[in-house]
Amino acid sequence: MDMDAFWSLCAMYDILKQLWKEVRAINDETPLETYAFTWYNHIIETNVILDSPVLNKEGARGWWVPELIISFDAASLDQLWKSYTENIEVFNNTEFYVIDHHITNPWFWKTNIINTNSSSTCELTFDILKELNLVKYITPKIATSLMSWIYTDTNIFYNSNTTKNTHIVAWELIELWADFRKPYYEFYMKRTFEKSKLWWEILANHMKNIENWKVVYACVKQNTFDKTNTDDRQLAWIISEFFANIEWVEICFLSYEMWNWQIKTSFRCTEKYNVAAIAEKFAWWWHKQASWFNSDKSIEEVENEIIHELKIELNK
Ligand SMILES: [Mn+2]
């Protein structure tokens, strides 16, 4: 579950709860343990069936049906995964708002609140809360959660999606007692001993370069995680800290075997290129400068296909 989606969802959930709304936060997978520092992981339900029997306060059986559905940070219907495919009927009969900031979003439903100038869905969610005069419900916990996206979607105010409004929102969140040091520590500084060993192993033995293309990449197999007693979650940020910061690098990517043996690939590139266009060929797309996709093929096949696609893209 993407962090931007997670924190905008949690913020809205908390505020709607304070307004005494009956609200459920749904996602098809559980949030990562690394998000737990904002205290919201437990609110996410992974049972995505929206239309379901429940016991009401009197112990009698009732039927829970939503009056309004809101999606956060989803750029297409596909990205709602099972939350949509298991509930098509409910979606067709319910008011549904799409809150998102991706340029690839084709305004896929009737009510779309999309601002492609927002650095993140969290920034947009904050602007919506301001517009609705709900800022008074933003507790320090919510403010810290919304603040957490700043360090992730903007790579600490560095990516080109950072605007004047991003800084204004951050400043307003700090005024609402966001703990702005906490997410920075949690995401960029804190590191386990095993994680340091894993990064060393990748940098020493798996990082490859195609210098005349200005490409750096690595393909990481399960045995590398076994050797260092880690898992794929420990890879977070190696791509932006080590690959993307090499002075001549224009495009970098990281492919790795996940616990379920699927291959996940993350891309980064400079403004000269558009990795969304490359990732789209693998049936996935996201931002121009940062994209990713999953594949059921072997890691060797994925590596070959990416190199092939890069060749086409770079020879344009
Ligand atoms: Mn986002």
Side-chain angles (χ1 to χ4, degrees):
M1 182 179 196
D2 180 72
M3 291 176 260
D4 193 18
F6 176 69
W7 278 303
S8 44
L9 168 67
C10 295
M12 194 60 93
Y13 173 91
D14 194 336
I15 286 168
L16 290 173
K17 276 271 179 193
Q18 291 179 59
L19 295 168
W20 298 98
K21 301 285 179 203
E22 214 181 297
V23 43
R24 294 170 65 190
I26 310 278
N27 192 55
D28 61 327
E29 53 184 38
T30 41
L32 295 177
E33 199 43 48
T34 46
Y35 303 177
F37 72 92
T38 55
W39 319 277
Y40 280 116
N41 280 27
H42 66 280
I43 70 164
I44 305 293
E45 287 179 50
T46 48
N47 174 13
V48 297
I49 310 297
L50 292 178
D51 179 0
S52 54
V54 282
L55 286 179
N56 63 25
K57 283 192 200 85
E58 289 77 42
R61 269 183 202 286
W63 204 269
W64 197 92
V65 190
E67 280 168 24
L68 170 67
I69 305 171
I70 309 173
S71 75
F72 294 91
D73 206 44
S76 67
L77 218 40
D78 300 352
Q79 289 178 356
L80 298 174
W81 300 104
K82 282 192 182 153
S83 312
Y84 176 71
T85 55
E86 302 276 314
N87 298 294
I88 295 177
E89 190 89 334
V90 183
F91 271 78
N92 286 334
N93 295 310
T94 311
E95 197 77 52
F96 171 35
Y97 296 169
V98 176
I99 300 183
D100 186 34
H101 70 118
H102 294 101
I103 34 162
T104 53
N105 195 313
W107 295 61
F108 67 85
W109 208 260
K110 278 169 275 187
T111 312
N112 301 280
I113 307 165
I114 295 167
N115 184 353
T116 53
N117 292 321
S118 286
S119 68
S120 53
T121 301
C122 280
E123 181 180 323
L124 178 57
T125 300
F126 183 81
D127 286 333
I128 293 168
L129 293 172
K130 259 203 291 201
E131 197 65 39
L132 296 174
N133 206 11
L134 295 172
V135 169
K136 55 181 175 286
Y137 295 100
I138 298 181
T139 60
K141 198 167 137 179
I142 297 172
T144 304
S145 300
L146 289 173
M147 192 77 188
S148 299
W149 110 89
I150 289 181
Y151 301 110
T152 57
D153 256 31
T154 70
N155 196 15
I156 321 178
F157 303 109
Y158 176 76
N159 290 353
S160 56
N161 59 357
T162 311
T163 62
K164 180 180 165 188
N165 191 58
T166 314
H167 286 278
I168 291 171
V169 169
W171 168 59
E172 289 179 343
L173 288 172
I174 290 169
E175 283 206 318
L176 293 163
W177 300 103
D179 183 343
F180 59 91
R181 298 180 69 231
K182 197 180 186 110
Y184 182 71
Y185 173 74
E186 291 287 337
F187 286 116
Y188 291 91
M189 295 167 74
K190 192 170 88 174
R191 202 165 287 166
T192 60
F193 181 74
E194 289 76 18
K195 181 170 177 171
S196 298
K197 298 277 275 186
L198 171 70
W199 285 29
W200 174 263
E201 173 68 24
I202 294 169
L203 297 173
N205 300 321
H206 302 283
M207 191 166 71
K208 300 183 194 174
N209 68 312
I210 313 174
E211 207 173 338
N212 52 351
W213 289 2
K214 301 187 185 341
V215 171
V216 160
Y217 71 99
C219 296
V220 182
K221 291 185 171 190
Q222 272 296 329
N223 59 12
T224 307
F225 298 122
D226 296 342
K227 196 173 157 186
T228 50
N229 198 16
T230 54
D231 57 51
D232 57 58
R233 291 172 301 185
Q234 310 286 316
L235 287 172
W237 314 117
I238 189 172
I239 189 164
S240 39
E241 275 189 48
F242 277 98
F243 297 6
N245 286 339
I246 295 170
E247 54 183 344
W248 45 260
V249 163
E250 301 273 15
I251 295 178
C252 55
F253 71 91
L254 176 70
S255 294
Y256 56 92
E257 286 173 346
M258 294 195 284
W259 59 271
N260 60 4
W261 298 96
Q262 261 209 334
I263 307 301
K264 182 168 177 143
T265 301
S266 311
F267 283 105
R268 294 283 188 286
C269 71
T270 60
E271 275 169 53
K272 218 171 127 181
Y273 294 100
N274 176 2
V275 279
I278 300 170
E280 200 170 350
K281 295 181 178 161
F282 300 93
W284 200 247
W285 57 92
W286 212 258
H287 304 290
K288 275 185 183 169
Q289 264 72 57
S291 285
W292 53 86
F293 70 92
N294 290 346
S295 170
D296 290 319
K297 294 182 178 163
S298 75
I299 198 159
E300 289 82 8
E301 282 176 290
V302 171
E303 178 180 357
N304 288 337
E305 284 181 17
I306 294 170
I307 300 293
H308 177 77
E309 289 303 333
L310 283 175
K311 204 175 203 168
I312 297 169
E313 189 66 24
L314 299 175
N315 285 335
K316 267 180 191 167

